[in-house]
Amino acid sequence: MSERPGEKIIEEARQGEAMVLDQKAGSKKLYIESYGCQMNFSDSEIVASILNNEGYSTTDKIEDADLVLLNTCSIRDKAEQTVRKRLSTFNKLKADKPSMKIGVLGCMAERMKANLLEEEKLVDLVAGPDAYRDLPNLVDELDGGRKAVNVILSKEETYDNIEPVRLGGNGITAFISITRGCDNMCSFCVVPFTRGRERSRNPQTIVDEALDLWQRGYKEITLLGQNVDSYLWYGGGPKKDFEKASELAQASAINFAHLLDMVADAVPHMRIRFSTSNPQDMHDDVLLAIARHENICNYIHLPVQSGSSRILKEMNRGHNREEYFNLIDRIRKIIPDCGISQDIIAGFPTETEEDHQDTLSLMEYVKYDFGYMFFYSERPSTYAARNLVDDVPLEVKKRRLNEIIARQQEHSLYRSKQHIGRVEEVLVEGESKRSPHQFYGRNSQNTVVVFNREDYKPGDFVLVKIENCTSATLLGTAVNKVEKA
Ligand code: 5AD
Ligand code: SF4
């Protein structure tokens, strides 16, 4: 993980990261590069695990690879352009090594399907997010000299019995995916088209994975899903079919608050985070679970997208401005020191200057700890692309985005200053980029804390007295270590 505030949805520093697993002598070599959200990075670990069973070991030297995979993102046009550029550099490599096979995985594979093979002649394999169990067969087809495609979306697949391999991590924090897909249909968003219907993973396998990570020395897990608060296990299958399940299955179903209880009790000495929360699905039971368990971090990533109720309606968000404010008030009441972060889109179709001011005033009310801000990028197939005109000029989108970013920086500094003078528990993740004599870690609210390393080590929980700050980082002095187990 990089030294940054917040668990980024799209973490810039990790884009394109190559992932490496223990080497096995004499085996075929896989090079896998990942783009997009945490879920995609987590999926690459599933892919490496599946192909490892087929005799592939991972390499970070692309020239050595027999199979090159790009796990791609489609969320904004820029994400796709990055992948296109990357593919064009692969052209040269393939000229030197024609036996090298190139595959595209993930959201762009799902969105483009077989068209990707037409448009990008060097691509041999296309596999969507629910097709990774089929990779061994697809790779066999390549060996027969054919091209291979599987972009079938599943209503059940959660990869729950695949033992994940942990790639490129710090050995201290890990992701566990708990839901796949999304049923929200926000009008700007490509995800429901690329990742299919929402389904939840068997809670016992989630608990088992958490226990396994704890036994292997991990100290923090982040439960991942496009909409974690909507988690609902009733024996498997899509969320939308819950009403059709038997009375018994419905009565014994497990929701997100219940899952949090299960995980928090199973690994009481591990920190638990989760992402992403959608306002319309976050209810008091989840807030009470966070408040009840000391080991669930006081931090909620709660995208708002816009502060204007009219735009929120056009976005098909399930909440308006007032409902969002009510939720913020409930969070502050139930978890008084909760860190809150946002995603905001500037320049959605028809957004006026007044709508934009509504976004700024909403930010003023919440004063978020961090934020991830973007200008609107029209995505093919979405409701907005089919029904609305992308009518806000690029320079206006960019100006509004800059105003939003500037406001967020003020608020981040305001929130950082509130930590000064407090003694906070920090989980040490590694050496600070500023100095080899300093460590960095995060407090419960997910803000980065930097302090002199002394005799502490990564993985320690350390009480740190916060003495100074920038807008993104807290600076302090270690007081003592907290013994957990
Ligand atoms: N244009 C710009 N930003 C988008 N996001 C999702 N779709 C788009 C789009 N078409 C942003 C949202 C979401 C985050 C993951 O990416 O803010 O919460
Ligand atoms: Fe993740 Fe969305 Fe990008 Fe797919 S499109 S990789 S779900 S951010």
PDB file of all heavy atoms in Angstrom, residues 138-164:
ATOM      1  N   LEU A 138      -9.262 -21.488 -21.364  1.00  0.00           N
ATOM      2  CA  LEU A 138      -9.005 -20.438 -22.354  1.00  0.00           C
ATOM      3  C   LEU A 138      -7.533 -20.451 -22.771  1.00  0.00           C
ATOM      4  O   LEU A 138      -7.207 -20.307 -23.954  1.00  0.00           O
ATOM      5  CB  LEU A 138      -9.386 -19.063 -21.786  1.00  0.00           C
ATOM      6  CG  LEU A 138     -10.870 -18.884 -21.428  1.00  0.00           C
ATOM      7  CD1 LEU A 138     -11.094 -17.563 -20.696  1.00  0.00           C
ATOM      8  CD2 LEU A 138     -11.753 -18.930 -22.680  1.00  0.00           C
ATOM      9  N   VAL A 139      -6.661 -20.646 -21.796  1.00  0.00           N
ATOM     10  CA  VAL A 139      -5.227 -20.677 -22.097  1.00  0.00           C
ATOM     11  C   VAL A 139      -4.899 -21.898 -22.967  1.00  0.00           C
ATOM     12  O   VAL A 139      -4.082 -21.808 -23.895  1.00  0.00           O
ATOM     13  CB  VAL A 139      -4.404 -20.645 -20.783  1.00  0.00           C
ATOM     14  CG1 VAL A 139      -2.931 -20.931 -21.048  1.00  0.00           C
ATOM     15  CG2 VAL A 139      -4.562 -19.294 -20.108  1.00  0.00           C
ATOM     16  N   ASP A 140      -5.588 -23.024 -22.697  1.00  0.00           N
ATOM     17  CA  ASP A 140      -5.386 -24.220 -23.544  1.00  0.00           C
ATOM     18  C   ASP A 140      -5.757 -23.930 -24.995  1.00  0.00           C
ATOM     19  O   ASP A 140      -5.083 -24.366 -25.923  1.00  0.00           O
ATOM     20  CB  ASP A 140      -6.282 -25.373 -23.059  1.00  0.00           C
ATOM     21  CG  ASP A 140      -5.616 -26.106 -21.910  1.00  0.00           C
ATOM     22  OD1 ASP A 140      -4.440 -25.817 -21.630  1.00  0.00           O
ATOM     23  OD2 ASP A 140      -6.307 -26.941 -21.280  1.00  0.00           O
ATOM     24  N   GLU A 141      -6.838 -23.174 -25.169  1.00  0.00           N
ATOM     25  CA  GLU A 141      -7.242 -22.818 -26.544  1.00  0.00           C
ATOM     26  C   GLU A 141      -6.156 -22.028 -27.245  1.00  0.00           C
ATOM     27  O   GLU A 141      -5.886 -22.237 -28.431  1.00  0.00           O
ATOM     28  CB  GLU A 141      -8.529 -21.978 -26.530  1.00  0.00           C
ATOM     29  CG  GLU A 141      -9.779 -22.827 -26.421  1.00  0.00           C
ATOM     30  CD  GLU A 141     -11.031 -21.996 -26.599  1.00  0.00           C
ATOM     31  OE1 GLU A 141     -11.096 -21.196 -27.565  1.00  0.00           O
ATOM     32  OE2 GLU A 141     -11.933 -22.142 -25.758  1.00  0.00           O
ATOM     33  N   LEU A 142      -5.518 -21.115 -26.488  1.00  0.00           N
ATOM     34  CA  LEU A 142      -4.422 -20.336 -27.087  1.00  0.00           C
ATOM     35  C   LEU A 142      -3.299 -21.252 -27.542  1.00  0.00           C
ATOM     36  O   LEU A 142      -2.721 -21.043 -28.604  1.00  0.00           O
ATOM     37  CB  LEU A 142      -3.848 -19.335 -26.078  1.00  0.00           C
ATOM     38  CG  LEU A 142      -4.781 -18.298 -25.495  1.00  0.00           C
ATOM     39  CD1 LEU A 142      -3.984 -17.312 -24.658  1.00  0.00           C
ATOM     40  CD2 LEU A 142      -5.513 -17.547 -26.604  1.00  0.00           C
ATOM     41  N   ASP A 143      -3.023 -22.265 -26.716  1.00  0.00           N
ATOM     42  CA  ASP A 143      -1.950 -23.198 -27.068  1.00  0.00           C
ATOM     43  C   ASP A 143      -2.259 -23.912 -28.384  1.00  0.00           C
ATOM     44  O   ASP A 143      -1.351 -24.305 -29.113  1.00  0.00           O
ATOM     45  CB  ASP A 143      -1.727 -24.219 -25.936  1.00  0.00           C
ATOM     46  CG  ASP A 143      -1.117 -23.545 -24.714  1.00  0.00           C
ATOM     47  OD1 ASP A 143      -0.556 -22.438 -24.886  1.00  0.00           O
ATOM     48  OD2 ASP A 143      -1.232 -24.101 -23.604  1.00  0.00           O
ATOM     49  N   GLY A 144      -3.566 -24.043 -28.689  1.00  0.00           N
ATOM     50  CA  GLY A 144      -3.955 -24.648 -29.961  1.00  0.00           C
ATOM     51  C   GLY A 144      -3.943 -23.637 -31.107  1.00  0.00           C
ATOM     52  O   GLY A 144      -4.446 -23.934 -32.195  1.00  0.00           O
ATOM     53  N   GLY A 145      -3.446 -22.418 -30.824  1.00  0.00           N
ATOM     54  CA  GLY A 145      -3.299 -21.425 -31.892  1.00  0.00           C
ATOM     55  C   GLY A 145      -4.556 -20.593 -32.140  1.00  0.00           C
ATOM     56  O   GLY A 145      -4.607 -19.786 -33.064  1.00  0.00           O
ATOM     57  N   ARG A 146      -5.589 -20.793 -31.291  1.00  0.00           N
ATOM     58  CA  ARG A 146      -6.816 -20.000 -31.485  1.00  0.00           C
ATOM     59  C   ARG A 146      -6.827 -18.817 -30.521  1.00  0.00           C
ATOM     60  O   ARG A 146      -6.044 -18.744 -29.594  1.00  0.00           O
ATOM     61  CB  ARG A 146      -8.034 -20.888 -31.234  1.00  0.00           C
ATOM     62  CG  ARG A 146      -8.226 -21.976 -32.288  1.00  0.00           C
ATOM     63  CD  ARG A 146      -9.416 -22.833 -31.938  1.00  0.00           C
ATOM     64  NE  ARG A 146      -9.227 -23.561 -30.695  1.00  0.00           N
ATOM     65  CZ  ARG A 146      -8.582 -24.729 -30.603  1.00  0.00           C
ATOM     66  NH1 ARG A 146      -8.069 -25.287 -31.693  1.00  0.00           N
ATOM     67  NH2 ARG A 146      -8.437 -25.336 -29.443  1.00  0.00           N
ATOM     68  N   LYS A 147      -7.793 -17.905 -30.760  1.00  0.00           N
ATOM     69  CA  LYS A 147      -8.027 -16.827 -29.794  1.00  0.00           C
ATOM     70  C   LYS A 147      -9.129 -17.304 -28.857  1.00  0.00           C
ATOM     71  O   LYS A 147      -9.913 -18.195 -29.218  1.00  0.00           O
ATOM     72  CB  LYS A 147      -8.446 -15.558 -30.516  1.00  0.00           C
ATOM     73  CG  LYS A 147      -7.355 -15.084 -31.476  1.00  0.00           C
ATOM     74  CD  LYS A 147      -7.190 -13.598 -31.484  1.00  0.00           C
ATOM     75  CE  LYS A 147      -5.920 -13.219 -32.235  1.00  0.00           C
ATOM     76  NZ  LYS A 147      -5.506 -11.845 -32.013  1.00  0.00           N
ATOM     77  N   ALA A 148      -9.211 -16.745 -27.658  1.00  0.00           N
ATOM     78  CA  ALA A 148     -10.167 -17.267 -26.680  1.00  0.00           C
ATOM     79  C   ALA A 148     -10.928 -16.135 -25.999  1.00  0.00           C
ATOM     80  O   ALA A 148     -10.333 -15.108 -25.642  1.00  0.00           O
ATOM     81  CB  ALA A 148      -9.423 -18.084 -25.631  1.00  0.00           C
ATOM     82  N   VAL A 149     -12.240 -16.322 -25.861  1.00  0.00           N
ATOM     83  CA  VAL A 149     -13.084 -15.295 -25.218  1.00  0.00           C
ATOM     84  C   VAL A 149     -14.062 -15.960 -24.260  1.00  0.00           C
ATOM     85  O   VAL A 149     -14.700 -16.945 -24.613  1.00  0.00           O
ATOM     86  CB  VAL A 149     -13.951 -14.529 -26.260  1.00  0.00           C
ATOM     87  CG1 VAL A 149     -14.732 -13.399 -25.585  1.00  0.00           C
ATOM     88  CG2 VAL A 149     -13.106 -13.978 -27.385  1.00  0.00           C
ATOM     89  N   ASN A 150     -14.181 -15.428 -23.050  1.00  0.00           N
ATOM     90  CA  ASN A 150     -15.305 -15.769 -22.179  1.00  0.00           C
ATOM     91  C   ASN A 150     -15.681 -14.512 -21.410  1.00  0.00           C
ATOM     92  O   ASN A 150     -14.911 -14.025 -20.576  1.00  0.00           O
ATOM     93  CB  ASN A 150     -14.954 -16.903 -21.208  1.00  0.00           C
ATOM     94  CG  ASN A 150     -16.179 -17.329 -20.378  1.00  0.00           C
ATOM     95  OD1 ASN A 150     -17.172 -16.591 -20.313  1.00  0.00           O
ATOM     96  ND2 ASN A 150     -16.105 -18.488 -19.753  1.00  0.00           N
ATOM     97  N   VAL A 151     -16.865 -13.987 -21.712  1.00  0.00           N
ATOM     98  CA  VAL A 151     -17.328 -12.777 -21.025  1.00  0.00           C
ATOM     99  C   VAL A 151     -18.705 -13.022 -20.410  1.00  0.00           C
ATOM    100  O   VAL A 151     -19.486 -12.091 -20.216  1.00  0.00           O
ATOM    101  CB  VAL A 151     -17.372 -11.561 -21.980  1.00  0.00           C
ATOM    102  CG1 VAL A 151     -15.964 -11.085 -22.302  1.00  0.00           C
ATOM    103  CG2 VAL A 151     -18.124 -11.885 -23.259  1.00  0.00           C
ATOM    104  N   ILE A 152     -18.972 -14.290 -20.099  1.00  0.00           N
ATOM    105  CA  ILE A 152     -20.273 -14.606 -19.500  1.00  0.00           C
ATOM    106  C   ILE A 152     -20.306 -14.096 -18.063  1.00  0.00           C
ATOM    107  O   ILE A 152     -19.395 -14.374 -17.278  1.00  0.00           O
ATOM    108  CB  ILE A 152     -20.527 -16.132 -19.541  1.00  0.00           C
ATOM    109  CG1 ILE A 152     -20.585 -16.587 -21.003  1.00  0.00           C
ATOM    110  CG2 ILE A 152     -21.814 -16.488 -18.797  1.00  0.00           C
ATOM    111  CD1 ILE A 152     -20.616 -18.095 -21.165  1.00  0.00           C
ATOM    112  N   LEU A 153     -21.343 -13.323 -17.744  1.00  0.00           N
ATOM    113  CA  LEU A 153     -21.509 -12.871 -16.368  1.00  0.00           C
ATOM    114  C   LEU A 153     -22.338 -13.898 -15.619  1.00  0.00           C
ATOM    115  O   LEU A 153     -23.208 -14.547 -16.188  1.00  0.00           O
ATOM    116  CB  LEU A 153     -22.191 -11.501 -16.333  1.00  0.00           C
ATOM    117  CG  LEU A 153     -21.293 -10.329 -16.741  1.00  0.00           C
ATOM    118  CD1 LEU A 153     -22.109  -9.046 -16.841  1.00  0.00           C
ATOM    119  CD2 LEU A 153     -20.127 -10.146 -15.779  1.00  0.00           C
ATOM    120  N   SER A 154     -22.046 -14.045 -14.341  1.00  0.00           N
ATOM    121  CA  SER A 154     -22.694 -15.086 -13.542  1.00  0.00           C
ATOM    122  C   SER A 154     -23.595 -14.451 -12.491  1.00  0.00           C
ATOM    123  O   SER A 154     -23.358 -13.332 -12.058  1.00  0.00           O
ATOM    124  CB  SER A 154     -21.606 -15.915 -12.861  1.00  0.00           C
ATOM    125  OG  SER A 154     -22.116 -16.577 -11.745  1.00  0.00           O
ATOM    126  N   LYS A 155     -24.622 -15.207 -12.075  1.00  0.00           N
ATOM    127  CA  LYS A 155     -25.454 -14.700 -10.977  1.00  0.00           C
ATOM    128  C   LYS A 155     -24.969 -15.246  -9.641  1.00  0.00           C
ATOM    129  O   LYS A 155     -25.438 -14.846  -8.597  1.00  0.00           O
ATOM    130  CB  LYS A 155     -26.914 -15.115 -11.194  1.00  0.00           C
ATOM    131  CG  LYS A 155     -27.563 -14.335 -12.321  1.00  0.00           C
ATOM    132  CD  LYS A 155     -29.046 -14.633 -12.384  1.00  0.00           C
ATOM    133  CE  LYS A 155     -29.664 -13.930 -13.575  1.00  0.00           C
ATOM    134  NZ  LYS A 155     -30.620 -14.771 -14.275  1.00  0.00           N
ATOM    135  N   GLU A 156     -24.067 -16.224  -9.674  1.00  0.00           N
ATOM    136  CA  GLU A 156     -23.648 -16.888  -8.436  1.00  0.00           C
ATOM    137  C   GLU A 156     -22.171 -16.710  -8.090  1.00  0.00           C
ATOM    138  O   GLU A 156     -21.811 -16.744  -6.917  1.00  0.00           O
ATOM    139  CB  GLU A 156     -23.900 -18.414  -8.509  1.00  0.00           C
ATOM    140  CG  GLU A 156     -25.344 -18.824  -8.324  1.00  0.00           C
ATOM    141  CD  GLU A 156     -26.087 -18.839  -9.647  1.00  0.00           C
ATOM    142  OE1 GLU A 156     -25.404 -19.028 -10.678  1.00  0.00           O
ATOM    143  OE2 GLU A 156     -27.315 -18.631  -9.655  1.00  0.00           O
ATOM    144  N   GLU A 157     -21.330 -16.542  -9.111  1.00  0.00           N
ATOM    145  CA  GLU A 157     -19.880 -16.621  -8.869  1.00  0.00           C
ATOM    146  C   GLU A 157     -19.420 -15.616  -7.807  1.00  0.00           C
ATOM    147  O   GLU A 157     -19.666 -14.417  -7.924  1.00  0.00           O
ATOM    148  CB  GLU A 157     -19.130 -16.351 -10.187  1.00  0.00           C
ATOM    149  CG  GLU A 157     -17.616 -16.414 -10.081  1.00  0.00           C
ATOM    150  CD  GLU A 157     -17.103 -17.792  -9.696  1.00  0.00           C
ATOM    151  OE1 GLU A 157     -17.071 -18.074  -8.490  1.00  0.00           O
ATOM    152  OE2 GLU A 157     -16.760 -18.578 -10.603  1.00  0.00           O
ATOM    153  N   THR A 158     -18.762 -16.134  -6.757  1.00  0.00           N
ATOM    154  CA  THR A 158     -18.103 -15.243  -5.786  1.00  0.00           C
ATOM    155  C   THR A 158     -16.664 -15.704  -5.522  1.00  0.00           C
ATOM    156  O   THR A 158     -15.993 -15.149  -4.656  1.00  0.00           O
ATOM    157  CB  THR A 158     -18.859 -15.191  -4.434  1.00  0.00           C
ATOM    158  OG1 THR A 158     -18.961 -16.519  -3.917  1.00  0.00           O
ATOM    159  CG2 THR A 158     -20.243 -14.589  -4.572  1.00  0.00           C
ATOM    160  N   TYR A 159     -16.206 -16.711  -6.235  1.00  0.00           N
ATOM    161  CA  TYR A 159     -14.856 -17.271  -6.067  1.00  0.00           C
ATOM    162  C   TYR A 159     -14.586 -17.632  -4.602  1.00  0.00           C
ATOM    163  O   TYR A 159     -13.472 -17.508  -4.127  1.00  0.00           O
ATOM    164  CB  TYR A 159     -13.780 -16.275  -6.565  1.00  0.00           C
ATOM    165  CG  TYR A 159     -13.898 -15.923  -8.035  1.00  0.00           C
ATOM    166  CD1 TYR A 159     -14.280 -14.650  -8.442  1.00  0.00           C
ATOM    167  CD2 TYR A 159     -13.633 -16.866  -9.020  1.00  0.00           C
ATOM    168  CE1 TYR A 159     -14.387 -14.325  -9.794  1.00  0.00           C
ATOM    169  CE2 TYR A 159     -13.739 -16.551 -10.367  1.00  0.00           C
ATOM    170  CZ  TYR A 159     -14.118 -15.277 -10.746  1.00  0.00           C
ATOM    171  OH  TYR A 159     -14.218 -14.959 -12.065  1.00  0.00           O
ATOM    172  N   ASP A 160     -15.670 -18.049  -3.903  1.00  0.00           N
ATOM    173  CA  ASP A 160     -15.511 -18.167  -2.446  1.00  0.00           C
ATOM    174  C   ASP A 160     -14.616 -19.321  -2.007  1.00  0.00           C
ATOM    175  O   ASP A 160     -14.092 -19.308  -0.912  1.00  0.00           O
ATOM    176  CB  ASP A 160     -16.869 -18.205  -1.730  1.00  0.00           C
ATOM    177  CG  ASP A 160     -17.727 -19.384  -2.139  1.00  0.00           C
ATOM    178  OD1 ASP A 160     -17.309 -20.154  -3.026  1.00  0.00           O
ATOM    179  OD2 ASP A 160     -18.823 -19.527  -1.572  1.00  0.00           O
ATOM    180  N   ASN A 161     -14.412 -20.320  -2.861  1.00  0.00           N
ATOM    181  CA  ASN A 161     -13.558 -21.433  -2.439  1.00  0.00           C
ATOM    182  C   ASN A 161     -12.155 -21.353  -3.038  1.00  0.00           C
ATOM    183  O   ASN A 161     -11.388 -22.289  -2.993  1.00  0.00           O
ATOM    184  CB  ASN A 161     -14.208 -22.768  -2.815  1.00  0.00           C
ATOM    185  CG  ASN A 161     -14.406 -22.891  -4.314  1.00  0.00           C
ATOM    186  OD1 ASN A 161     -14.282 -21.894  -5.025  1.00  0.00           O
ATOM    187  ND2 ASN A 161     -14.688 -24.079  -4.796  1.00  0.00           N
ATOM    188  N   ILE A 162     -11.829 -20.222  -3.640  1.00  0.00           N
ATOM    189  CA  ILE A 162     -10.466 -20.080  -4.195  1.00  0.00           C
ATOM    190  C   ILE A 162      -9.585 -19.484  -3.117  1.00  0.00           C
ATOM    191  O   ILE A 162      -9.862 -18.395  -2.614  1.00  0.00           O
ATOM    192  CB  ILE A 162     -10.474 -19.173  -5.441  1.00  0.00           C
ATOM    193  CG1 ILE A 162     -11.445 -19.749  -6.447  1.00  0.00           C
ATOM    194  CG2 ILE A 162      -9.049 -18.930  -5.956  1.00  0.00           C
ATOM    195  CD1 ILE A 162     -10.976 -19.918  -7.819  1.00  0.00           C
ATOM    196  N   GLU A 163      -8.561 -20.214  -2.767  1.00  0.00           N
ATOM    197  CA  GLU A 163      -7.676 -19.700  -1.725  1.00  0.00           C
ATOM    198  C   GLU A 163      -6.861 -18.561  -2.313  1.00  0.00           C
ATOM    199  O   GLU A 163      -6.070 -18.775  -3.233  1.00  0.00           O
ATOM    200  CB  GLU A 163      -6.758 -20.826  -1.251  1.00  0.00           C
ATOM    201  CG  GLU A 163      -6.108 -20.509   0.063  1.00  0.00           C
ATOM    202  CD  GLU A 163      -5.170 -21.637   0.489  1.00  0.00           C
ATOM    203  OE1 GLU A 163      -5.465 -22.805   0.181  1.00  0.00           O
ATOM    204  OE2 GLU A 163      -4.143 -21.319   1.089  1.00  0.00           O
ATOM    205  N   PRO A 164      -7.073 -17.349  -1.815  1.00  0.00           N
ATOM    206  CA  PRO A 164      -6.412 -16.220  -2.476  1.00  0.00           C
ATOM    207  C   PRO A 164      -4.920 -16.182  -2.192  1.00  0.00           C
ATOM    208  O   PRO A 164      -4.497 -16.567  -1.114  1.00  0.00           O
ATOM    209  CB  PRO A 164      -7.094 -14.998  -1.866  1.00  0.00           C
ATOM    210  CG  PRO A 164      -7.759 -15.473  -0.641  1.00  0.00           C
ATOM    211  CD  PRO A 164      -7.778 -16.959  -0.613  1.00  0.00           C
TER     212      PRO A 164
END
